């Protein structure tokens, strides 16, 4: 399965996955089946409720990593995750919520189509 996460410009079609999953010419099968799916969960993943749920899970994930580190050395990815989780505080989540709401307003509004103004948004 090929999955296209919705991180693109909605004003420009994304054609790579449809090109890869197109039907083969008659009489020339590719020898494998496939399907592609476009994920439509972007705004939900950046909602205030979702980000607060993430914050509530931070302590249990840090505890899991702490227990794991007593059994063995953490991998580089696990150490990176641990550092990221330590940085995920209530003020940080509040900041992310504000930025997410601002970004959603931009994508849904007229400013998205004004390239000069959009380039100056912080």
């Amino acid at each position: 399965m090929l999955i296209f996460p919705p991180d693109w410009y909605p004003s420009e079609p994304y054609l790579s996955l449809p090109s890869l999953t197109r039907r083969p010419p008659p009489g020339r099968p590719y020898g494998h089946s496939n399907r592609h799916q476009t994920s439509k969960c972007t705004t939900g993943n950046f909602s205030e409720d979702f980000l607060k749920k993430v914050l509530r899970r931070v302590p249990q994930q840090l505890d899991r990593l702490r227990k794991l580190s007593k059994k063995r050395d953490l991998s580089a990815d696990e150490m990176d995750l641990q550092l990221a989780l330590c940085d995920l505080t209530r003020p940080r989540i509040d900041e992310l919520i504000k930025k997410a709401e601002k970004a959603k307003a931009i994508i849904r509004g007229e400013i998205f189509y004004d390239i000069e103004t959009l380039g100056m948004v912080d």
Side-chain angles (χ1 to χ4, degrees), residues 12-104:
E12 301 170 3
Y14 183 83
L15 300 175
S16 296
L17 288 185
S19 297
L20 289 171
T21 57
R22 71 180 176 80
R23 298 249 182 247
R28 296 184 62 205
Y30 291 140
H32 61 279
S33 64
N34 63 55
R35 79 181 174 136
H36 96 263
Q37 180 173 336
T38 300
S39 173
K40 297 179 181 176
C41 58
T42 323
T43 55
N45 285 349
F46 295 104
S47 69
E48 182 173 356
D49 287 343
F50 177 80
L51 291 170
K52 285 181 177 178
K53 286 178 188 175
V54 168
L55 182 62
R56 285 194 297 269
R57 294 198 58 191
V58 168
Q60 76 186 67
Q61 292 302 316
L62 282 171
D63 189 49
R64 181 184 66 82
L65 289 168
R66 182 185 55 78
K67 288 176 183 175
L68 191 60
S69 71
K70 290 181 178 180
K71 295 179 183 176
R72 63 168 175 81
D73 289 339
L74 296 178
S75 69
D77 287 342
E78 290 166 334
M79 287 189 287
D80 288 345
L81 175 60
Q82 190 174 39
L83 286 172
L85 290 171
C86 286
D87 193 37
L88 202 52
T89 60
R90 177 54 136 163
R92 178 70 177 132
I93 286 287
D94 289 341
E95 176 188 346
L96 291 173
I97 289 168
K98 287 178 189 172
K99 286 183 175 186
E101 291 304 318
K102 184 176 180 180
K104 287 189 286 188

